């Protein structure tokens, strides 16, 4: 769970590395319903979102415990999202696109090889 940090324009500080690690292990994740977490997790599809209140957290944990098939499906969907969107190969490709756009705007240089 991530605390809300109103001083950040994103509502959080840092990266949810543990969230990505748990998703990569097909674990059904439960995380805060704000900031980047809400952008990453589709509630009931690849994780569960919750308010940061003890009662809400407990309710969601019991819900996962009592619905093992759903918990398994959520874990598999989370793993799929990591394989397609939240991995180093994908991030590197996205970063190269940003760099290439900046170079094109600035200098008009030849394209970087983004196929490797």
């Amino acid at each position: 769970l991530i605390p809300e940090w109103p001083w950040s324009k994103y509502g959080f500080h840092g990266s949810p590395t543990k969230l990505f690690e748990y998703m990569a292990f097909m674990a059904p994740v439960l995380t805060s319903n704000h900031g980047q977490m809400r952008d990453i997790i589709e509630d009931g599809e690849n994780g569960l979102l919750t308010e940061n209140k003890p009662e809400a957290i407990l309710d969601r944990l019991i819900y996962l415990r009592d619905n093992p098939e759903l918990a398994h499906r959520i874990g598999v969907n989370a793993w799929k999202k990591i394989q397609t969107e939240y991995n180093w190969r994908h991030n590197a490709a996205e970063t190269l696109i940003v760099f290439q756009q900046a170079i094109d705007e600035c200098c008009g240089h030849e394209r970087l090889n983004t196929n490797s």
Side-chain angles (χ1 to χ4, degrees):
L1 299 169
I2 305 294
E4 287 194 75
W5 290 332
W7 52 264
S8 169
K9 72 178 185 177
Y10 304 107
F12 75 98
H13 179 71
S15 174
T17 303
K18 285 184 182 181
L19 180 75
F20 296 132
E21 290 172 348
Y22 297 146
M23 291 171 74
F25 281 109
M26 289 192 206
V29 297
L30 173 65
T31 191
S32 304
N33 188 19
H34 61 263
Q36 185 183 20
M37 304 326 110
R38 191 172 36 216
D39 296 335
I40 296 167
I41 298 299
E42 299 166 54
D43 191 43
E45 291 299 316
N46 62 355
L48 293 178
L49 296 171
T50 186
E51 300 304 316
N52 285 5
K53 297 177 184 174
E55 312 83 41
I57 296 165
L58 180 60
D59 286 346
R60 297 302 263 176
L61 289 173
I62 291 170
Y63 179 69
L64 276 175
R65 181 199 65 192
D66 292 348
N67 293 282
E69 295 85 15
L70 174 66
H72 177 74
R73 183 175 56 83
I74 285 172
V76 169
N77 289 341
W79 178 84
K80 288 178 182 177
K81 189 159 188 123
I82 292 297
Q83 301 308 308
T84 59
E85 294 179 43
Y86 295 105
N87 59 61
W88 286 113
R89 181 175 291 276
H90 181 266
N91 290 341
E94 293 293 314
T95 301
L96 286 174
I97 289 169
V98 171
F99 282 146
Q100 188 61 58
Q101 290 170 344
I103 290 169
D104 289 348
E105 288 177 18
C106 169
C107 311
H109 283 78
E110 293 182 27
R111 284 248 176 258
L112 294 173
N113 181 1
T114 58
N115 294 329
S116 51

